[in-house]
Amino acid sequence: MAPVMMTPDPTPNRLQELIDLAVVSELSDSEMRELEELLQGDGAALAMFLKCCQLETDLHFHTRASLSGRRALADLLPFEHKSVVPNKSTSDGLAARRSLMGLAAALLVGLFAWWSASYWREIPAERQPRPIARLAESDNAHWLGDDGPIVGHEFVEGDSVYLTKGHARISMSSGAEVVLRSPCFVTLAAADRVQLEEGIVTAQVAEWGRGFTVATAAMNVVDLGTKFAVAASARGVSEAHVLDGQVRVQPLSNVSSSRRSLLLSGGEAFRVEIERKVAIRLKADRALYDAEMGDNPPLKPIVTFNTGKGLMAGDEDPHWRISAGSKCTAYDGPQFAVVCDADIRYLQNDRDSSQWISVANPVRPGVPPGTEFTFENTFDLTGFDVSTVTIAAQVIADNGVRAVRVNGQPISLASWSLNERDQYFNRFVVVEIRDFLQPGINRVEFDVWNGVDRYAPEAPNPVAIRVEWQGFGRPLQAPPNSIVLN
Amino acid sequence: MQRIVDYQAAAPPQQAAARTEALQGCLQRLPRSDRELVEQCYGSETKIKDIADGLGRSAGAVYTSLCRIRQALLACIERALTSEAK
């Protein structure tokens, strides 16, 4: 507990003593009369008694709501009534006090219902759409809409495009190269998934992108290391043609099929007609569906380290260091960051994606207000063409990020801080890194600012950060074999 | 006592809401042992004496702890409400 919290307001000792006895139903008749006299003669005393009664009622509600979880209001009402009735009766005066407590409880019940609902509501994550693809090439391409993408445009998850004329090639960050032939309407659902509404797409998938899926209204076509094409019409006809390698075709449930999925190899095709409920094998039409995939190597994900990923609370995160900060009880100099349990106002940890890290676990009592700590992480771009790299961090920080440096150079950043009372920390802010990247190891530093606890401005309070990376680029092409003349 | 009821009835609802929010924040700032004691004493029908027995303490000591915790909470809530009003 912060020292300031332990300093009670000055209250006359006898009055406080009587109030303490009253709230635990330990007042004798004479003490009850004494309390009533004190209250009748002093407005401040009356206010204090009221606050104590309110607190007592509040504590009953809070604690029981905490222990019983999402209790419905219908359950909460009778429960509260029970909780404010003392266990034993000692006098008529106590009965009057019980009535008061009951009234206070009734007045506050709606408020507590609202409060307990908000207290127990899981804090939802607010993530920003992640970049997942890049327009690599276009040939006489016309797009629906005024501002069609130009070569180099980066698509984020969920983007839809309608190619009305020409061809276009999109590089997916998972390692798939996808050629669209007009008219073609696709949604880039995720790095490894394209939803084909209408048209023809041809995909070539790198080894590291295995599992890439093209979905239509009739089937999912899952790559198993291959080059394949998928066609879909607005009339519900879909075809998958395997040009090389293998795919797994999963007809959707609205199509008659005896199998949940089937394997197609090079030269094979599969056709599904939703209306007629027909699913048949065909021979692949290479002449119609093959496409030129360009000379550039496919994009490849960069190995990055989200904070706390896969670790347990209390573990040091070997990929994240706190390289600088204000020395205090919790921080004595450079150290590994520690995975911490999510504080009550934090987005819950997710071991599979990212977790909060701080100077210590638990995150409270924390570090002095108005201080700054530098969290440092690295990633390796060895083997990547740095000029093709896209890397972005989604960041939540308590209380904010003041600066980000890449290899020691500050990048352009709209710094932020969140320091309201009862502030939630659940919204990821995107930090795009475009400058100062270099081949090999790259170091990124986040200066995390710790604000003020609005309840105890002088007391230490938590500092923590949570980062989820998204990065991809094109691998360097191997130089042509040199010819050695003897 | 009627004056107390009148006082309560006159309190604006916003004030009660602010107080509730303040309590929520202040409880989180209690040391874990105090928070656990609050949960034990306010979260069930168990008598203080039984709770004290379970903790290996006297009932008087538990009552004293609760008084201290309540005063700390009151002070914290007061500060929070004052801070908000500024």
Side-chain angles (χ1 to χ4, degrees):
Chain A
M1 180 185 295
V4 290
M5 185 164 169
M6 292 305 299
T7 310
D9 287 340
T11 305
N13 288 342
R14 182 57 181 161
L15 175 63
Q16 188 63 59
E17 192 179 330
L18 291 171
I19 290 174
D20 286 337
L21 288 170
V23 296
V24 293
S25 309
E26 293 289 343
L27 275 180
S28 66
D29 288 350
S30 61
E31 287 170 333
M32 187 66 198
R33 281 193 295 277
E34 185 183 355
L35 175 60
E36 285 181 334
E37 284 171 13
L38 282 171
L39 297 181
Q40 285 167 7
D42 185 345
L46 181 63
M48 172 54 69
F49 180 55
L50 178 64
K51 283 179 188 172
C52 291
C53 291
Q54 287 170 335
L55 176 64
E56 192 70 4
T57 310
D58 290 358
L59 282 169
H60 277 289
F61 270 108
H62 164 81
T63 308
R64 295 188 179 218
S66 299
L67 296 176
S68 61
R70 299 174 189 275
R71 185 178 293 277
L73 179 58
D75 293 333
L76 209 150
L77 273 163
F79 202 55
E80 168 58 16
H81 179 68
K82 266 171 62 181
S83 74
V84 297
V85 176
N87 288 332
K88 60 180 179 178
S89 173
T90 56
S91 69
D92 292 344
L94 268 181
R97 193 184 66 78
R98 286 191 210 109
S99 300
L100 169 68
M101 298 288 282
L103 177 62
L107 288 169
L108 293 171
V109 97
L111 183 60
F112 271 97
W114 163 81
W115 172 83
S116 62
S118 66
Y119 181 87
W120 285 102
R121 186 182 60 224
E122 187 174 336
I123 301 172
E126 291 184 28
R127 286 184 169 82
Q128 313 305 314
R130 296 178 298 177
I132 55 162
R134 188 182 296 160
L135 181 58
E137 188 180 345
S138 65
D139 177 15
N140 194 29
H142 290 220
W143 305 86
L144 189 66
D146 296 332
D147 297 318
I150 58 173
V151 172
H153 175 85
E154 286 190 347
F155 299 100
V156 298
E157 52 194 348
D159 273 351
S160 294
V161 289
Y162 199 142
L163 182 67
T164 57
K165 186 179 175 187
H167 294 63
R169 180 164 58 86
I170 294 175
S171 299
M172 305 296 295
S173 65
S174 61
E177 294 289 306
V178 178
V179 171
L180 279 54
R181 267 185 269 182
S182 63
C184 186
F185 180 26
V186 296
T187 298
L188 308 175
D192 60 354
R193 186 179 179 87
V194 166
Q195 179 76 34
L196 175 62
E197 312 290 351
E198 184 180 0
I200 299 171
V201 300
T202 302
Q204 180 162 299
V205 185
E207 186 185 354
W208 54 80
R210 194 164 289 195
F212 175 78
T213 300
V214 176
T216 72
M219 64 170 90
N220 291 333
V221 184
V222 182
D223 164 74
L224 299 176
T226 189
K227 184 177 184 182
F228 66 95
V230 181
S233 78
R235 293 173 299 170
V237 179
S238 295
E239 290 184 11
H241 292 249
V242 183
L243 306 168
D244 191 16
Q246 284 187 322
V247 300
R248 182 168 295 284
V249 176
Q250 301 166 334
L252 300 184
S253 57
N254 54 353
V255 177
S256 173
S257 175
S258 58
R259 284 175 290 186
R260 283 185 299 174
S261 71
L262 68 154
L263 204 62
L264 292 185
S265 298
E268 294 182 315
F270 192 68
R271 178 185 173 94
V272 172
E273 298 180 35
I274 293 177
E275 285 187 6
R276 294 173 57 197
K277 295 194 173 181
V278 170
I280 53 173
R281 274 181 185 266
L282 303 167
K283 191 175 176 184
D285 189 339
R286 293 179 188 274
L288 183 60
Y289 291 109
D290 207 353
E292 175 57 47
M293 307 310 289
D295 295 330
N296 290 327
L299 294 175
K300 186 176 185 180
I302 295 165
V303 177
T304 51
F305 302 100
N306 295 351
T307 52
K309 183 175 180 181
L311 299 173
M312 301 291 290
D315 286 349
E316 288 185 340
D317 188 329
H319 302 295
W320 284 84
R321 293 179 74 249
I322 305 175
S323 56
S326 304
K327 289 199 174 183
C328 58
T329 308
Y331 182 76
D332 191 30
Q335 63 166 75
F336 286 110
V338 176
V339 179
C340 57
D341 291 309
D343 199 49
I344 189 166
R345 297 284 171 182
Y346 289 2
L347 174 69
Q348 282 301 301
N349 279 332
D350 180 353
R351 277 186 67 198
D352 294 334
S353 58
S354 68
Q355 304 188 86
W356 290 94
I357 57 172
S358 182
V359 293
N361 184 51
V363 73
R364 288 183 186 277
V367 297
T371 53
E372 193 172 283
F373 292 83
T374 300
F375 289 74
E376 183 182 304
N377 182 224
T378 59
F379 52 84
D380 189 355
L381 295 183
T382 299
F384 283 92
D385 176 352
V386 172
S387 67
T388 68
V389 164
T390 289
I391 190 153
Q394 300 226 17
V395 183
I396 323 178
D398 175 4
N399 291 89
V401 172
R402 281 192 160 164
V404 176
R405 289 178 297 282
V406 176
N407 298 317
Q409 302 291 320
I411 65 169
S412 174
L413 174 81
S415 63
W416 73 92
S417 67
L418 304 164
N419 202 187
E420 302 301 318
R421 271 188 59 196
D422 298 329
Q423 175 74 56
Y424 284 108
F425 295 96
N426 63 329
R427 188 171 193 275
F428 286 90
V429 176
V430 176
V431 176
E432 291 186 28
I433 295 174
R434 301 179 183 279
D435 302 318
F436 311 119
L437 294 172
Q438 63 188 24
I441 300 296
N442 287 255
R443 188 175 83 255
V444 183
E445 297 163 287
F446 296 86
D447 289 343
V448 179
W449 176 69
N450 183 44
V452 173
D453 184 335
R454 300 296 181 192
Y455 294 95
E458 306 299 325
N461 68 84
V463 65
I465 187 172
R466 185 164 166 175
V467 178
E468 295 182 1
W469 288 106
Q470 172 82 0
F472 54 86
R474 295 194 191 281
L476 287 167
Q477 287 181 299
N481 291 334
S482 54
I483 300 171
V484 180
L485 300 176
N486 292 316
Chain B
M1 289 299 170
Q2 185 58 45
R3 287 177 60 198
I4 296 173
V5 175
D6 293 342
Y7 187 101
Q8 170 68 41
Q14 306 94 300
Q15 189 178 321
R19 194 183 62 246
T20 306
E21 282 191 46
L23 170 65
Q24 184 182 349
C26 291
L27 279 167
Q28 291 306 314
R29 284 156 181 79
L30 283 177
R32 178 175 295 181
S33 57
D34 284 355
R35 205 161 53 233
E36 287 172 355
L37 184 63
V38 168
E39 286 179 0
Q40 282 186 285
C41 296
Y42 288 90
S44 73
E45 300 293 336
T46 311
K47 293 177 180 173
I48 295 291
K49 185 178 182 317
D50 295 335
I51 291 171
D53 288 345
L55 295 172
R57 302 170 63 185
S58 68
V62 171
Y63 278 128
T64 303
S65 293
L66 286 174
C67 289
R68 175 180 56 78
I69 292 168
R70 278 195 295 266
Q71 290 188 42
L73 287 172
L74 279 173
C76 176
I77 291 168
E78 199 71 11
R79 268 196 306 278
L81 295 177
T82 306
S83 161
E84 186 182 52
K86 283 178 182 174

